[in-house]
Amino acid sequence: MEFVIITGLSGAGKSQAMRALEDFDYYCMDNLPPQLLPEFAELCYESKRDIKKVAVVVDIRGGIFFDALFNSLETLEKKGLKYRILFLDASDNVLIKRYKEQRRPHPLSLNGRLIDGITKERKLLQEVKKKSDYIIDTSKLTIGMLKNEIRRVFVEGGESKKLTISVASFGFKHGILLDADLVFDVRFLPNPYYIKKLREFTGNDKEVRDYVLKWDQTKIFIDKLLDMVNFLIPYYIEEGKTQLVIGIGCTGGQHRSVTIANVLYEELAKAGNRVIINHRDARVS
């Protein structure tokens, strides 16, 4: 039997993950007190019903009961009951935004600041995260993207990458990308803006892409950029990083940065990385 424990930060998408697994024929239980995990798992394993896949959400809503999680996991292991842990994470800024949009209090900051509750929860979940089999950072993921990732791991049997790479183009004249871990300035490349017939297009259009990519310095830069990023990825994963934001900037965020960001996204995705693309300042063409 497949037994999945879903946990992670409040607001990171545990409910959406559970609904996705429900759609994939998992029997799901939400907000199970951790101390009941062994009994519930035994019932599922011994059930005469044809239950082959089970997912249970265990999180901080269990209050003081959450302290019993490691004891429960140890009991599962002693009894030979196999399980996998899926951990949902997101950045502080994204979690704060989600809570404000939903006008809900954080379970650990009912009478205080949101960030205090999030910080406290991160500390409480630190060891659980280390023990997790899969970590999905939902900061840049839509509900559809999250469901696709869960399908790939739990239905198609693919490996879940513990690092989500977000490639974002932007224009320096609109301000630097504040949440970027790495920023690359491509203003040294020939600018299609000065070609009248290309000015109103963006790097998403073939005409601009072909223009930007035809130069020798562009080809050399892309090779060096890919070499550097591919070198860094394993070390970021080893460090425990779950979200890597790579910013590609040009003057207005329309032509060069969009083209290079698209190429980087395509190559990283082709190599099997979990990667998403965002063009912050580009016009919809």
Side-chain angles (χ1 to χ4, degrees), residues 96-159:
I96 290 170
K97 182 181 178 183
R98 289 174 182 172
Y99 269 101
K100 285 186 175 180
E101 287 174 349
Q102 297 173 11
R103 297 182 179 179
R104 292 173 50 212
H106 188 280
L108 296 182
S109 62
L110 297 178
N111 299 310
R113 298 172 62 217
L114 270 173
I115 188 61
D116 294 336
I118 292 170
T119 301
K120 184 176 180 181
E121 186 177 26
R122 279 198 190 282
K123 188 174 181 180
L124 289 171
L125 294 175
Q126 193 172 12
E127 294 304 314
V128 179
K129 184 176 181 180
K130 290 178 183 178
K131 191 176 178 64
S132 298
D133 298 280
Y134 311 113
I135 298 172
I136 299 179
D137 190 314
T138 66
S139 301
K140 302 284 185 179
L141 301 185
T142 63
I143 292 176
M145 289 176 177
L146 175 58
K147 186 172 183 177
N148 285 337
E149 179 67 12
I150 289 173
R151 177 193 289 112
R152 193 174 70 82
V153 176
F154 293 99
V155 179
E156 299 171 1
E159 181 185 357

Side-chain angles (χ1 to χ4, degrees), residues 163-220:
L163 180 70
T164 300
I165 304 171
S166 175
V167 180
S169 68
F170 69 94
F172 280 98
K173 75 175 185 179
H174 302 295
I176 197 168
L177 199 67
L178 294 178
D179 62 342
D181 298 292
L182 301 171
V183 174
F184 296 93
D185 184 348
V186 297
R187 287 177 291 186
F188 68 93
L189 298 175
N191 193 349
Y193 178 84
Y194 296 110
I195 309 298
K196 189 174 181 180
K197 65 179 181 179
L198 299 179
R199 184 173 299 175
E200 297 307 313
F201 292 110
T202 74
N204 289 321
D205 297 299
K206 185 178 184 301
E207 296 89 342
V208 170
R209 181 181 174 113
D210 289 346
Y211 177 85
V212 173
L213 296 182
K214 75 177 183 177
W215 305 98
D216 288 339
Q217 57 263 51
T218 305
K219 297 170 185 174
I220 294 171

Side-chain angles (χ1 to χ4, degrees), residues 5-59:
I5 299 170
I6 304 170
T7 190
L9 275 293
S10 301
K14 297 185 297 295
S15 296
Q16 286 81 4
M18 184 187 70
R19 292 188 193 107
L21 287 172
E22 261 183 337
D23 289 343
F24 300 138
D25 298 322
Y26 278 73
Y27 176 80
C28 295
M29 171 75 72
D30 189 20
N31 196 20
L32 182 73
Q35 63 181 17
L36 298 182
L37 259 177
E39 288 80 3
F40 179 72
E42 274 189 306
L43 283 173
C44 293
Y45 271 98
E46 296 171 1
S47 174
K48 294 180 180 179
R49 294 177 57 190
D50 190 23
I51 300 178
K52 295 180 179 178
K53 299 186 292 185
V54 176
V56 55
V57 176
V58 177
D59 59 26

